[in-house]
Amino acid sequence: MTSTATHGTTIGTAERVNREVRLVRHPDGALAVGDLEVVPTEMPVMAPGHVLIRNLLLSVDAATRLRLDPVSPPGYLPALKPGEALAGMVIGEVVESDVEGFTPGDLVHHDLGYRDYALVDPGNQALGVAGALTRLDRELGPPELHVGLLGMTGLTAWAGLFEVASLKPDDVVWISAAAGAVGSVAAQLAKAHGCRVVGSAGSADKVAYLADSLGLDGAFNWRDGLDEPLAELAPDGIDVYFDNVGGDHLRAALDHLRPYGRVALCGAIAGYDGRPPQAPENLFAATSKDLNLRGFRAGTYADRLPEVRKNLAELWESGQLKLDLARYEGLEAAPEAVVDMLSGRTTGKCVVSLA
């Protein structure tokens, strides 16, 4: 039996080879490449009510790190045990299907990444509603666009700004980790909405990227300090803080937010990868200045993804949004990609090409 695969070719069942990325051991501090391994595994066998997918483009996301410790954060997805395979968002192409609405050749989005082939039950996804098997519209853009701007990355940025922070055109906005996947999209969206946008990142090259490539109104290296650059670039304070970092960044935001300011708590990478989380000592500023601090997960807004995808595609077509990729080749490069992304060595959306 043969099935449609990438670019209309056919792959015989006997020719398919599958591998997956597994957790070797819980990291002792920062994640190391040796904490993960790529191992051969059995090729999935088609089953009733399932879809067999050849994965094409893996999304490498910081949230993956939260499941690699012995215990994951309360309320989050369960921690992985050594020997278990990682899960992550991925774009793939249907090879075989026993589910109505999915046919060989369809481009799809699902959450069984970190493997070459995946057998997906649309009603039982590893990451919950956020990873539901979705057929994608090729006319909206290439797979790279769907894994970044038009995927959960774009939805996260959009939800944080508009649903959580109630962004207004005259707002002064600070985006932390603004050279990363979500941060870079959030920064561009805020600019497109008419806001004054300041971004921070962890290297001179990334600061130059924010200023020259993304065209932000101000950019600074947080390693040189937080308070002085914020006072210089936003002398009258900020209205919105899109928080990807937590820790000392959140502390600085609380000091520089104007009364009735809003904080979208998207991530806290200062407490990921073996680093102890830090709570801001000035949290009372939220009370004294009538601030609104709200955490969120993009999956909460998964039902809005079709409309958000259409809106972001239009902004991309008009040139108001761009997508920069840090691309790694082959599943064997996935452990290195995860480590590099967590250590801040990548800019834009980090992906692994699997085909």
Side-chain angles (χ1 to χ4, degrees):
M1 177 181 178
T2 59
S3 301
T4 302
T6 308
H7 305 306
T9 61
T10 58
I11 299 177
T13 302
E15 298 171 343
R16 298 174 188 157
V17 176
N18 199 29
R19 300 166 299 164
E20 63 185 21
V21 180
R22 295 177 182 172
L23 177 65
V24 175
R25 55 184 169 266
H26 295 300
D28 181 14
L31 182 71
V33 171
D35 295 328
L36 306 174
E37 64 177 347
V38 180
V39 299
T41 186
E42 292 185 1
M43 184 68 202
V45 178
M46 266 299 294
H50 286 69
V51 181
L52 179 62
I53 299 166
R54 182 188 184 195
N55 290 335
L56 304 177
L57 197 64
L58 171 67
S59 174
V60 180
D61 300 303
T64 299
R65 179 62 179 84
L66 297 175
R67 303 187 66 195
L68 303 185
D69 287 324
V71 179
S72 60
Y76 197 64
L77 296 163
L80 294 177
K81 299 176 182 178
E84 291 186 325
L86 277 63
M89 298 298 178
V90 68
I91 302 297
E93 190 172 53
V94 174
V95 177
E96 300 179 49
S97 174
D98 188 52
V99 177
E100 185 176 355
F102 297 96
T103 59
D106 284 348
L107 192 69
V108 294
H109 174 271
H110 66 97
D111 65 11
L112 284 179
Y114 291 97
R115 63 208 79 199
D116 293 306
Y117 287 86
L119 186 64
V120 177
D121 176 358
N124 185 24
Q125 290 279 270
L127 303 182
V129 65
L133 181 63
T134 306
R135 183 177 180 274
L136 302 178
D137 185 353
R138 292 179 183 269
E139 294 184 0
L140 288 180
E144 291 83 353
L145 205 63
H146 286 282
V147 82
L149 285 177
L150 306 187
M152 298 306 291
T153 298
L155 179 63
T156 303
W158 175 88
L161 289 175
F162 296 106
E163 290 294 314
V164 177
S166 302
L167 191 69
K168 298 179 292 189
D170 59 348
D171 282 334
V172 177
V173 182
W174 173 29
I175 313 281
S176 59
V182 172
S184 61
V185 177
Q188 294 177 83
L189 276 177
K191 280 291 293 180
H193 199 60
C195 300
R196 175 176 172 79
V197 182
V198 173
S200 57
S203 71
D205 288 344
K206 288 186 176 182
V207 170
Y209 165 74
L210 297 178
D212 301 335
S213 184
L214 299 190
L216 301 194
D217 300 289
F220 66 94
N221 187 338
W222 63 265
R223 298 182 192 278
D224 297 330
L226 292 165
D227 291 302
E228 288 187 13
L230 284 171
E232 178 182 348
L233 298 173
D236 296 323
I238 59 175
D239 301 293
V240 170
Y241 172 49
F242 193 104
D243 188 18
N244 291 304
V245 177
D248 57 350
H249 285 58
L250 180 56
R251 190 274 310 156
L254 291 169
D255 281 344
H256 290 267
L257 279 158
R258 295 195 271 224
Y260 309 105
R262 293 93 68 200
V263 178
L265 298 168
C266 176
I269 56 177
Y272 297 175
D273 211 19
R275 297 181 288 265
Q278 299 176 352
E281 71 280 2
N282 59 342
L283 192 57
F284 187 72
T287 299
S288 63
K289 293 197 279 188
D290 287 295
L291 304 179
N292 185 340
L293 281 67
R294 181 178 162 196
F296 73 100
R297 291 182 61 189
T300 304
Y301 304 94
D303 61 324
R304 306 288 297 278
L305 186 54
E307 68 174 276
V308 172
R309 184 178 286 132
K310 183 175 183 296
N311 177 260
L312 297 185
E314 291 173 353
L315 290 172
W316 178 70
E317 286 282 357
S318 70
Q320 295 181 75
L321 294 180
K322 63 183 298 184
L323 176 66
D324 290 304
L325 298 177
R327 186 190 292 269
Y328 293 72
E329 297 295 331
L331 187 66
E332 61 276 8
E336 180 186 6
V338 177
V339 170
D340 284 354
M341 180 271 303
L342 288 169
S343 64
R345 289 194 286 267
T346 61
T347 298
K349 179 66 182 177
C350 185
V351 299
V352 179
S353 296
L354 304 180

